Amino acid sequence: MTRRTQRTQWIRRAAGRLRLPGTRRGQRRAFQVAVLACVLALLPATWMNAAGGSRVRTVEDVPAAPVAVVFGAGLWDGEPSPYLAHRLDAAARLYERGTVRAVLVTGDNSREDYDEPDAMRAYLVAHGVPAGRIVSDYAGFDTWDSCTRARRVFGVDRAVLVSQGFHIRRALALCGAAGVEAYGVGVDDRHDVTWYYGGTREVFAAAKAAAEAAVRPDPHFLGPREDGVAAALR
């Protein structure tokens, strides 16, 4: 038997297994199961939007808070990616307007040659935010880690979160679960391939976020309490 023949037979067997039931009752039950599966799959995304959707604002109308939390979004040759730069631009405007008095930059520094927080700090300083008002979280490996470390390590209980529109609702939902009362600035960006990829990814990330909000696990790295935010606010 040739490989092509084997592949054809495998496809036929798989198609046979996927065949709809022959009776109307069976078809109705299969349809109900498919609908239920779709509803269950979308529940986390529905929760995420309900938890965070009403707290999304713009730079101009977001309520004041002591701290802005800016989430990492990748580096290009050691510099903030365009998406991350737009988040940092929004944070700099929040500081300039007096909406926040300090900025917590949270990102990935899991290896020596990749340092999101220091790149974010340098960008903010270059755009007018005093270095003493910027605090770095080097273990913000994902959104939950950033949120729970903001509360448990840095003592942040009220903040303005800054991210792109497709991510800000998940950040708000998770920070709320971590004990941070927050509003979010959803930074607008060109709706390119990256934007649509991010939006699609959020549908799948919602399930993980719902589990994290329910279980509230420790971050990958917790570490001792730090007074950087308190010092920056003083």
Side-chain angles (χ1 to χ4, degrees):
M1 183 183 296
T2 66
R3 184 173 296 179
R4 182 175 181 180
T5 302
Q6 290 176 331
R7 185 166 60 247
T8 301
Q9 290 182 352
W10 181 87
I11 292 171
R12 285 174 178 170
R13 285 197 298 269
R17 294 191 191 101
L18 295 173
R19 190 176 302 151
L20 287 173
T23 66
R24 285 195 173 183
R25 182 177 180 183
Q27 291 173 357
R28 190 182 306 115
R29 182 169 298 174
F31 175 75
Q32 290 170 343
V33 169
V35 170
L36 179 61
C38 291
V39 170
L40 291 175
L42 291 174
L43 274 178
T46 303
W47 158 79
M48 188 174 70
N49 282 286
S54 64
R55 288 180 168 259
V56 180
R57 298 287 190 272
T58 66
V59 168
E60 289 72 27
D61 65 9
V62 71
V67 185
V69 178
V70 186
F71 299 85
L75 303 179
W76 288 10
D77 297 324
E79 301 292 330
S81 67
Y83 270 43
L84 180 52
H86 294 160
R87 296 181 187 186
L88 295 166
D89 290 338
R93 287 164 56 203
L94 288 170
Y95 179 82
E96 182 182 1
R97 292 173 61 90
T99 305
V100 301
R101 294 184 288 124
V103 181
L104 175 63
V105 291
T106 174
D108 187 351
N109 182 213
S110 57
R111 62 181 195 268
E112 195 170 321
D113 62 341
Y114 190 85
D115 189 343
E116 277 188 314
D118 276 355
M120 294 162 77
R121 169 187 285 274
Y123 187 98
L124 286 172
V125 170
H127 287 75
V129 181
R133 296 288 186 173
I134 306 168
V135 183
S136 299
D137 174 11
Y138 295 95
F141 301 133
D142 60 20
T143 304
W144 171 253
D145 282 10
S146 294
C147 288
T148 193
R149 280 177 55 82
R151 182 70 184 94
R152 297 172 63 183
V153 175
F154 296 94
V156 175
D157 57 12
R158 195 158 57 90
V160 175
L161 312 183
V162 184
S163 188
Q164 263 70 30
F166 57 75
H167 172 248
I168 194 63
R169 290 168 180 79
R170 177 157 61 96
L172 284 163
L174 286 176
C175 279
V180 180
E181 181 186 350
Y183 281 85
V185 170
V187 178
D188 197 15
D189 252 304
R190 187 165 57 93
H191 288 201
D192 56 9
V193 173
T194 303
W195 177 277
Y196 288 112
Y197 167 77
T200 302
R201 179 177 177 272
E202 287 303 307
V203 176
F204 299 98
K208 176 175 178 285
E212 289 168 333
V215 177
R216 302 183 185 184
D218 284 339
H220 291 86
F221 178 78
L222 181 59
R225 185 76 175 242
E226 299 184 22
D227 65 353
V229 169
L233 292 173
R234 285 196 298 268

